[in-house]
Amino acid sequence: MAQSALLKSSIAKKVAMALSGLFLMLFLAQHFFINMTSVFSPDVFNSISHFMGNNPLVQFVIQPILIVGVVFHFIMGFVLDFKNRSARPIAYAKNNGAANSTWASRNMIISGSVILAFLGLHFYDFWVPEMVYKYVAFNPLDDTRYFHELAEKFESPVRTALYCISFVLLSLHLQHGFSSSFQSIGQNNKYTKGMKNFGLGFAYVVPFGFILVALFHHFNH
C-alpha cells in the first residue's frame, strides 16, 4: 500500500513537472518572438515591449504566474533527481550511460541548474531594472527606451558568451525535456512522432534564435 502511494506520488510529481515545463515553453516561444523583432525593427520591438511592460494583466497576473511556474519547475526537478538518486544508493561499479542514453537525459539537473542561474541573471538584467524604473524611480513612460536597453546588455563579450552558453544548454535540456514531458502525461499515440519532431525543432530553433539575437546586438551595437 505504501509503495503504491509512493509510486502515485512520484507519477503526480512527474506530471506536474511536465505540465509546468510545457507552460514555460509557451512563455519561451512568446519571449523569442518579441526578441526576434528587435533584429528586424526597433520600433516594433519598442511597441510590443512597451505594451507588455505596462499592461496590468501581464504585469500583475501573468508575470507572477510565470515566476511561480519557473520556481515550481526547478524545485520539482531537484526533488525528482534527489529521489532518483536515493533509490539507487549503491553506485554501479561501471556506468556506461552513454551506451543507451543521451548526455542531456543523464544530466538534466546540470543543464537545469545552469539555466536557473541564467534566469537569475536575466531577471537581474531586465526585470529588476524595469521594476526600479517604474516603481522605485517613478520615471515617466518612454516607449522608445526598450531597444536601446536590450542592445546595451550585449555590449559585454562576457555577458554575451554567458547567454550563448546558457542557450546551448537550454537546447539540450529541451531536447530531452519535451519528449519526456509527453511521456509523463501519457501522450503516446499516432501523433507522438510528429510531436517529438516538433519538440526537437523547437529545441533547436528557439534557443539558437536567442543566440542569434544576442550576437546580432553584440556585433551591431
Side-chain angles (χ1 to χ4, degrees), residues 128-141 145:
V128 172
E130 181 73 9
M131 296 299 102
V132 171
Y133 184 94
K134 291 187 297 189
Y135 304 121
V136 177
F138 294 105
N139 289 307
L141 294 179
R145 66 186 175 87

Side-chain angles (χ1 to χ4, degrees), residues 12-201:
K13 288 183 174 68
K14 288 181 179 180
V15 170
M17 184 177 177
L19 292 175
S20 66
L22 293 173
F23 166 73
L24 293 177
M25 285 177 67
L26 291 175
F27 160 75
L28 194 64
Q30 172 256 336
H31 198 54
F32 166 69
F33 171 77
I34 295 174
N35 278 22
M36 279 300 294
T37 63
S38 70
V39 173
F40 303 104
S41 174
D43 291 337
V44 171
F45 176 77
N46 280 331
S47 297
I48 297 176
S49 298
H50 180 73
F51 170 79
M52 298 293 287
N54 293 278
N55 185 296
L57 178 63
V58 173
Q59 291 294 298
F60 303 114
V61 178
I62 296 177
Q63 194 162 259
I65 291 174
L66 171 65
I67 294 172
V68 170
V70 168
V71 173
F72 176 82
H73 183 74
F74 283 100
I75 288 177
M76 290 303 298
F78 289 120
V79 169
L80 288 171
D81 183 75
F82 177 76
K83 285 184 175 294
N84 289 337
R85 292 177 188 275
S86 299
R88 292 186 283 109
I90 301 175
Y92 293 113
K94 182 179 180 181
N95 180 15
N96 188 21
N100 54 17
S101 62
T102 64
W103 183 93
S105 65
R106 299 191 310 275
N107 296 279
M108 289 293 279
I109 199 67
I110 296 176
S111 60
S113 299
V114 175
I115 294 164
L116 184 60
F118 158 74
L119 286 172
L121 173 63
H122 189 71
F123 271 85
Y124 175 79
D125 272 350
F126 294 99
W127 185 76
V128 172
E130 181 73 9
M131 296 299 102
V132 171
Y133 184 94
K134 291 187 297 189
Y135 304 121
V136 177
F138 294 105
N139 289 307
L141 294 179
D142 179 4
D143 60 1
T144 65
R145 66 186 175 87
Y146 299 95
F147 178 84
H148 173 72
E149 291 176 357
L150 175 68
E152 194 176 62
K153 295 300 181 183
F154 295 111
E155 280 187 359
S156 166
V158 174
R159 181 181 269 105
T160 302
L162 288 174
Y163 267 73
C164 292
I165 292 170
S166 297
F167 277 113
V168 169
L169 288 173
L170 176 61
S171 176
L172 295 172
H173 194 83
L174 287 171
Q175 287 173 40
H176 176 71
F178 189 87
S179 177
S180 62
S181 292
F182 273 86
Q183 290 178 2
S184 296
I185 61 178
Q187 293 299 312
N188 189 14
N189 51 46
K190 63 180 180 179
Y191 302 109
T192 301
K193 184 177 180 180
M195 293 304 298
K196 285 184 176 180
N197 289 336
F198 170 81
L200 188 62

Side-chain angles (χ1 to χ4, degrees), residues 200-217:
L200 188 62
F202 186 98
Y204 283 115
V205 172
V206 172
F208 286 97
F210 276 107
I211 291 175
L212 173 65
V213 172
L215 294 176
F216 173 84
H217 290 296

